[in-house]
Each structure stands twice: as structure tokens, then as C-alpha cells.
Amino acid sequence: MKADATLNFDFVPYWTIPYRFFLTAPLFAVLAGIVLSLLGIQLLLSEDIALWQSRWIKDVIFTLHLITIGTITMVMVGALFQITSVVGGRLLPGGRLVAAVVYGCLASGGGLFFIAMLNGVAEWYAAAACLLVLGLLVLVVCGLIAIARAQRYSPTLMSMRLSLLSLLIMISVGAALLLMHGYPESVGFDRRWTDFHLLWALAGWIGLLIMGVSFQVIPMFHVTPSFNVTFQRWMPVVTFLSLITASVVEFFYSGAWGTSIIMGVLLGCFGIYAAYVWVLLSKRKRKIEDITVLFWKTAAISLAVFSILHFVFKFDVWGKGDQTWLLSGVLLVFGVIVSVIVGMLQKIIPFLSYLHMQRFCAGDFEAIKSLPHMRAILKIKHSRYFYRLHLSSLALLLLMIVIPEITLLAGLSVSIEFSLLFFMTARVAVMVWKAERNCLPASAA
Amino acid sequence: MSSISELMTDDHRSCDEIYANAEEAIAAGKFDSGLALWMEFSNRVEQHFTLEEQTLFPGFEEATGMRAGPTMVMRGEHLQMREMLKSITAAIEGKDADDALGQCESLMIFMQQHNMKEEQVLYPMLNDALPKEETEQKISSALVAVQNVTSG
């Protein structure tokens, strides 16, 4: 059988499935921005508060999770529903019901998590954790089933499979960490599990999913040469193996040199991948402005600076261990991961919308001609403002770690940035909804 | 000699190149040179479609008996792209850069996914189904003829 990685556009989930995730994700980032703003106001009004002094303080952990669960995971799950069907030729089992369960658990779990943050009641955390774990477990099981039933082999699917396995490990450790937080006297608390959880979440679940999806979308959206076939086949596997080694070595061995070498290998995998993406993007034939390319480049530069800071932290070169760790955390989460996902959304949203609107027209050329084009679907001036706001948020978040007094500004910037993303996405969703209503007969809708 | 798949894939890339130049000219507000490049691109795409529809697809359908399979889907997409090409030509003639570039973006995404299906599924099937030397000869002479016409 021939190995191919074709995209199958005949198997696309109903448009509201990915859109519900894409519409909700910015709202969680707006909430995270509001939390930061409130912290910033508290700091300005009171001299007793110390912000951004340690990675272990509650505010850091909570804000980080609002972004990683509420925004990043929300977008990645929406993309997963879409890409599994398109690349594997199989919809996730359970159809709209599973999509509703996963979405319901993630959205309500994220919402409860936010409420728990505000009132600090342990039961709210427990309820939030149960919902989040349930939603993600359903996703892992359905995702793995869909990939196992895929009509063809594809390196993207392999990368997605490894990403889902990483998600499973990440959820298990995350749930164990919550138990340790809730019942330290009976379960005990071991901080090493935190790094283990972080590694599998960021490098495994998110990193491998981005890698796999990019194999398809970079050549298609940016008209670049394709990724080398051998690279596509082996890079996710090598990265996954380095991740296993790095997480195990980090857990059992605390020496700076040993862990640096193995973390260097893992970072090297992502570094090579990022350099390859950069080379491909520089070979794109189209020379006109493309905001998504700017987001990819921002992510690649952030990854390079993160790698340097990671080793500065490891060997304590700067003498400010926790602050270096927090700076590198902002770079990795907001500079690398958030940049990539919101950058991809600038292409995925108009592309999906155009695709669905075309399908509503059912081959009627006159109706297709009257559809809005890509630049009318997502306005380039909105994307341009959004990119500038993203850069401002990134710069302010980094500065905030060094000068906590500007936390309010950083929070406001994040809130404004993601309010704009919500507006952009909602505007397109309304457009698609209207197109569906106008094009399809009522019985087919 | 290159395989059927390589020859046709190279032609996709060569069309992309002309497309990128046309798009750049339109973005810079150079509508006259943009239109000339766009017509060159449209002609090259039309010749590519014709080569597939009149030579390669019938040969494949004859050899495999698959008449309602991938070739039918590709023919349908060709029809759609022909309509899009005409509509973009009208937008360039009307000197509406935003409309032209927006429609170009839609066409490009549509065309890239169409090319991916051909390059990853259909062309390898053509490689297996069609007589190698004879088909490659037909493709080479058709493409050389097109390039002579468009550059001349």
C-alpha cells in the first residue's frame, strides 16, 4: 500500500464543532488578562504583595493554567477534531455528542477552575479537575480510535497519536498533582512530578500536535516546499523518545550536567524543527504580506531565546533562578506556543469558513461566486492589529517578571489582544452561519 | 527521464512561480503588468488542465476502468477553478486590488489542496497505470509547447 499524506476534504466535521472551541479559547485568555490586571491593581495599592518572585506561588500556577487549559488546549482540541477527519478520512467516533461532551467538560471545567481561583473553595477545584480530566480522557480515547481506523498512513497521524499518548500521561500526572495538593498529609507531595507534568504537556501534547499539523498546513497555506518525507516520519518519533528519556532522567537525577545534556537533546529536536520551518517559510514563493509567517517567526525566535534562558537557569548564571524560570516560561508558553496557535488560526479560520461556505453552495457556481473571499472573511487589517497587540503583550509579560509594577499593563494588553481575537472569530462565525441559512434548503441544514 | 508524477508536479511549481509574480504586481498596484502575468498564469493553468483532461485522465480511466473515481473529482475542481480564474481576471481589470488579492488567496488555498490530492494520490496512480515512455513524451512535448507559447 502506498504511504500518502493526502488531505481528505470530504470528511469534515460540522462547522460548529471546531468553531465552538475557537470561539471559547480567546475568552479564557481575556479572563487570564483580567486576573493579571487585578493582581497588578492589588500590587499598586498595597505594599505587602510580592508578585513573580517564585514559580510556586498560587497566582503563577493559576494564570498559567487559564492559558494552557482554557486557551491553548481549547484551540488544539478544536484543531484535532478537524485535522483527524481531514487527514485520516475518519470522523472522531461519537460525532456531535462526543464533541459536545468534550467541549462541555473543558468549558465548564475551565469556568469552575476560574471560580475556584477567585473563592479558593477546595470543592470547586475538585469539580473542575473531574470535568477537565473526563473531557480530555474522552478526547484521548476517541482520538486514538479515529487514528487507528484511519484510511491511510500519515506522519501527521503518527505525530497526533504520540501527542494524544502524551496528553494521557499529562492528565494522569496532573490529576495526581491535584490529589497531592488537596491531601498532602495522606498522599504526600513531590515537586518533581510538576516538571514531569510540564514536560509532557508542553513538549508532548502541544509540541507534537503542532509538529504534526504543520506538516500539512505549512506547505498548503504558505505555498512552500513540503517537509522531507524522512523528516516527517522520524522527527515526531525521535522527539517522543527524547521526551521519555528527558522526563525520566529529570525525575531521578538532579545533577545540572546530566539533565542539561538530555534536555539539550529534546530542545535540539524542537530547535531543528523550528529551523526547518524557518527555512521552508523563507522559500515560500509568495512575497506578499502574510501575518501567519510573522507569528511563526516570533515563535522560532522565542524558542531560541527560551533555550538560552533554560541553560542560564540550569547553571544559575544570572543568580536569579526563579525569575529566569518565569521569564523562560513566558517565552515558551506565550512566545512560542500561543504565537503558533493564534498565528495558525489566522489561516485556519478563513480557510475552514470558505470551505464550509462552498459546501453549502453544493456546486452552484453563481452562489460560490457571491461568497466572500479570504480577505473579506478575516480582514488583514484586523490580523495586523492583532499581531501588534500580541507582540506588545509578549513584551509586557516579559517585562512584568522583572518589573512587577507593570502587571496591570500586561494584563490589559492580554485582555485587549484576545478580545480582538474573539471579535474576529465571532464575526466570521456569524458570516458562516448566515451563508448556511441562505444557501441550504431548510431540510439540508 | 522524469516520471509522470515528477513532470506534472514540476509544472504545478512552475505555475506557482508565475502566480506569485502576478500577485506581487497586483499588491504593488501595478495592474497592467499584473494583468499580463495573470493571463500568463491563467493560460498555463488552462493548458495543464487540458493536458490532464484530454490525455492523462482518459488514459487512466481506460486502463483502470475507474471513471467515477478521483479523475471525476479533479474534473469538478478544475471547473470551479476556471470560474475563479475568470472572476479574478475581472477584478484585476477593474483595478480592485483588495478584491483581486482576496479572491487570489481563496484560489491559492483551493489550488494547493487540489495539487496535494493530485501529487500524493492521483499522479502515483497514473505512474502505475499509464505506459511510461509514451505518456512522459506526450507530457514533455505538451509542456514545452505551452512554455514556448506563454514566453513567446
Side-chain angles (χ1 to χ4, degrees):
Chain A
M1 199 177 89
K2 279 197 171 65
D4 68 70
T6 184
L7 301 180
N8 191 338
F9 291 96
D10 299 328
F11 288 90
V12 284
Y14 186 55
W15 71 275
T16 60
I17 291 180
Y19 260 93
R20 70 190 68 175
F21 293 97
F22 298 161
L23 270 170
T24 311
L27 295 178
F28 276 101
V30 172
L31 278 181
I34 293 171
V35 170
L36 281 180
S37 306
L38 293 175
L39 287 171
I41 292 170
Q42 277 181 342
L43 178 74
L44 293 176
L45 295 179
S46 161
E47 289 174 2
D48 302 335
I49 296 176
L51 281 178
W52 321 126
Q53 301 299 312
S54 157
R55 63 177 279 199
W56 300 107
I57 59 173
K58 194 183 80 173
D59 305 323
V60 173
I61 297 169
F62 291 160
T63 321
L64 174 72
H65 281 83
L66 267 182
I67 291 284
T68 52
I69 297 170
T71 305
I72 298 173
T73 295
M74 196 66 91
V75 174
M76 301 307 282
V77 172
L80 196 85
F81 270 95
Q82 184 69 33
I83 202 94
T84 312
S85 328
V86 171
V87 180
R90 284 273 178 262
L91 293 171
L92 254 66
R96 292 190 195 188
L97 177 67
V98 162
V101 168
V102 173
Y103 173 76
C105 286
L106 275 183
S108 57
L112 280 179
F113 185 79
F114 179 69
I115 295 168
M117 252 174 79
L118 293 180
N119 65 22
V121 178
E123 286 76 16
W124 289 106
Y125 283 118
C130 287
L131 284 167
L132 292 170
V133 169
L134 174 70
L136 291 174
L137 275 179
V138 170
L139 176 83
V140 170
V141 172
C142 293
L144 288 174
I145 291 174
I147 293 171
R149 289 180 183 167
Q151 290 178 333
R152 57 186 76 87
Y153 171 81
S154 149
T156 295
L157 291 177
M158 170 53 82
S159 204
M160 282 163 61
R161 182 181 282 142
L162 297 176
S163 163
L164 285 170
L165 289 174
S166 306
L167 177 61
L168 191 60
I169 296 169
M170 185 273 273
I171 306 166
S172 316
V173 179
L177 278 168
L178 276 167
L179 275 178
M180 290 179 200
H181 270 293
Y183 308 96
E185 61 290 339
S186 47
V187 186
F189 190 80
D190 187 340
R191 282 185 170 181
R192 288 177 303 173
W193 285 111
T194 314
D195 284 339
F196 197 89
H197 171 72
L198 260 177
L199 261 176
W200 284 93
L202 303 180
W205 156 233
I206 300 168
L208 287 169
L209 190 56
I210 288 176
M211 198 183 276
V213 171
S214 73
F215 292 159
Q216 297 291 341
V217 298
I218 287 188
M220 184 173 83
F221 287 147
H222 303 290
V223 195
T224 67
S226 294
F227 284 86
N228 174 283
V229 176
T230 313
F231 181 89
Q232 289 189 47
R233 201 173 280 252
W234 287 104
M235 200 60 193
V237 178
V238 172
T239 308
F240 188 73
L241 293 176
S242 339
L243 174 56
I244 295 175
T245 319
S247 58
V248 172
V249 170
E250 277 251 312
F251 193 86
F252 289 108
Y253 178 70
S254 57
W257 279 105
T259 53
S260 291
I261 291 168
I262 190 63
M263 281 302 289
V265 173
L266 181 61
L267 273 173
C269 290
F270 282 103
I272 291 168
Y273 162 74
Y276 197 3
V277 168
W278 190 289
V279 169
L280 287 181
L281 289 175
S282 66
K283 285 185 181 168
R284 75 187 192 109
K285 294 194 177 83
R286 301 171 73 191
K287 300 297 173 216
I288 62 162
E289 180 185 17
D290 188 335
I291 305 289
T292 304
V293 171
L294 297 178
F295 275 108
W296 274 110
K297 290 190 170 175
T298 306
I301 293 167
S302 300
L303 183 68
V305 183
F306 164 79
S307 306
I308 296 166
L309 275 183
H310 176 79
F311 291 108
V312 168
F313 169 73
K314 216 55 177 178
F315 293 98
D316 205 15
V317 180
W318 192 24
K320 293 186 175 182
D322 274 345
Q323 276 193 328
T324 318
W325 193 93
L326 288 169
L327 278 173
S328 62
V330 170
L331 272 168
L332 184 60
V333 173
F334 205 84
V336 181
I337 297 168
V338 174
S339 297
V340 169
I341 64 163
V342 295
M344 282 213 257
L345 280 181
Q346 307 303 304
K347 289 282 180 199
I348 290 173
I349 288 176
F351 170 62
L352 272 188
S353 311
Y354 189 74
L355 182 76
H356 281 288
M357 287 193 281
Q358 264 190 341
R359 289 164 69 90
F360 299 151
C361 296
D364 176 351
F365 288 137
E366 287 310 310
I368 290 174
K369 265 195 233 170
S370 67
L371 289 178
H373 55 67
M374 298 279 279
R375 285 183 175 215
I377 296 173
L378 200 66
K379 287 187 180 292
I380 197 156
K381 69 172 182 188
H382 291 165
S383 294
R384 218 178 274 142
Y385 290 136
F386 179 66
Y387 177 66
R388 287 175 196 157
L389 277 167
H390 182 69
L391 282 188
S392 121
S393 301
L394 177 60
L396 287 168
L397 286 169
L398 288 169
L399 268 177
M400 169 189 88
I401 306 296
V402 188
I403 312 165
E405 286 73 15
I406 63 158
T407 301
L408 171 60
L409 276 181
L412 286 175
S413 179
V414 171
S415 294
I416 296 168
E417 177 191 345
F418 284 91
S419 299
L420 175 59
L421 181 63
F422 177 75
F423 163 75
M424 289 158 72
T425 316
R427 188 180 148 272
V428 180
V430 170
M431 205 181 279
V432 180
W433 175 71
K434 280 186 180 165
E436 183 180 30
R437 207 183 46 177
N438 295 337
C439 282
L440 281 186
S443 57
Chain B
M1 187 182 266
S2 306
S3 69
I4 300 169
S5 189
E6 283 168 13
L7 287 168
M8 296 303 285
T9 302
D10 285 349
D11 198 45
H12 282 165
R13 302 290 168 270
S14 155
C15 290
D16 286 348
E17 202 103 26
I18 310 169
Y19 168 89
N21 293 338
E23 192 181 45
E24 198 180 357
I26 300 162
K30 296 172 185 164
F31 291 102
D32 291 340
S33 58
L35 184 62
L37 285 162
W38 187 256
M39 294 319 292
E40 184 186 346
F41 170 70
S42 300
N43 290 337
R44 286 289 301 272
V45 170
E46 182 52 46
Q47 295 289 347
H48 184 94
F49 289 171
T50 308
L51 172 64
E52 288 179 337
E53 290 169 0
Q54 293 184 3
T55 307
L56 302 180
F57 293 176
F60 173 79
E61 287 158 358
E62 192 67 34
T64 60
M66 287 171 70
R67 288 174 204 283
T71 49
M72 194 181 78
V73 178
M74 295 299 109
R75 279 194 172 98
E77 292 188 356
H78 288 174
L79 274 179
Q80 201 159 325
M81 281 186 277
R82 284 185 173 110
E83 292 297 319
M84 292 168 98
L85 285 166
K86 275 190 236 163
S87 179
I88 296 168
T89 307
I92 304 170
E93 282 168 348
K95 299 193 192 310
D96 186 342
D98 198 46
D99 187 31
L101 290 172
Q103 289 195 57
C104 279
E105 187 86 32
S106 308
L107 172 72
M108 205 53 203
I109 295 285
F110 192 92
M111 197 171 259
Q112 288 305 313
Q113 53 108 345
H114 172 85
N115 291 353
M116 274 185 168
K117 288 180 196 171
E118 286 189 338
E119 290 165 20
Q120 293 170 8
V121 183
L122 187 57
Y123 292 163
M125 289 164 96
L126 297 183
N127 272 345
D128 295 342
L130 298 177
K132 189 173 155 42
E133 300 257 324
E134 187 193 328
T135 315
E136 285 165 0
Q137 195 57 51
K138 281 183 192 167
I139 297 172
S140 298
S141 33
L143 294 181
V144 167
V146 174
Q147 280 157 16
N148 287 342
V149 169
T150 49
S151 59

